[in-house]
Amino acid sequence: DVQGQAQVLSCTPAEAGAAAQGFVAHFLDGGWVPRWSAPSPADCMTGTTSDTVLADMVAYGIHGPDGVDLRQAWESALTHATVPPSDPRVGRKGLHPALFRGYVSTAVSEGMSWTLDAALNDWSASRIGRALAVTLPEGAERTRVEVECEWLERRSLLYREVFDPERGFFIGRDERGDWRVGEEFDPDDWGEDYTETNAWGTVVTVPHDGAGLARLHGGEDGLGALLDRVVARPETGAAARKGSYGQPIHEMTEAR
């Protein structure tokens, strides 16, 4: 009934906040939030996505005594953004050289996907930090957090470093700055630079900077034309474009 539904909805934020704080508990106990919890860390997937999950909770106002602890969430996200991990099951791969190069190179498996995820995760971390900063009194700590947020916001624009304007896709780059693939590039091929997808699947993976993405494609009209191409493009990975996977994976049939 309506009353029962209202009761369920009214308790959902608190339950969601408690669940999200469970991510933070990993950080408090072990210094990191696992990229994939099984329930201990597993070396799979790209990006420190907990940063984005927690930022989403903060944006919905699910923080404080009955939700995400802002300071703890910020500390976990800032650690992910700045500390190269010694354990491959946690943190961001290729982080240290990427801080200087501007992107995660093809020397790291799925380096281009790591680059796109790092951009989104940096923006997400900055949202947590901004929410924390407004709760702090004027002083050195607040200033430091605000400066760190500005740094992350600027770094979140590095997705542009792996965009090839000639082909109109995000493509991996090697340590010298060259594109991983030349004329043999096929955006329908799965794998290599792309985690469980292909170049079409990552062509608009910049949810935090839609205006910047549009500029890469010549403006809003260009981005609109690209979206039309994405919608019209048939997915063939399971049938003919298995790429580095060599065999169909379930994401191929799901995308199809």
Side-chain angles (χ1 to χ4, degrees), residues 198-230:
N198 57 19
W200 287 107
T202 59
V203 73
V204 292
T205 309
V206 190
H208 60 289
D209 187 23
L213 178 64
R215 282 193 293 272
L216 293 181
H217 294 280
E220 292 185 8
D221 290 343
L223 179 58
L226 171 66
L227 293 173
D228 288 340
R229 293 173 62 202
V230 171

Side-chain angles (χ1 to χ4, degrees), residues 163-233:
F163 180 75
D164 180 2
E166 293 187 7
R167 288 176 283 191
F169 289 95
F170 294 110
I171 302 174
R173 299 174 66 183
D174 64 23
E175 292 172 300
R176 298 177 301 177
D178 297 328
W179 301 112
R180 186 183 64 80
V181 288
E183 295 180 357
E184 72 276 16
F185 172 72
D186 186 340
D188 289 314
D189 285 343
W190 280 61
E192 294 291 354
D193 295 327
Y194 310 100
T195 304
E196 296 181 347
T197 188
N198 57 19
W200 287 107
T202 59
V203 73
V204 292
T205 309
V206 190
H208 60 289
D209 187 23
L213 178 64
R215 282 193 293 272
L216 293 181
H217 294 280
E220 292 185 8
D221 290 343
L223 179 58
L226 171 66
L227 293 173
D228 288 340
R229 293 173 62 202
V230 171
V231 172
R233 189 74 178 182

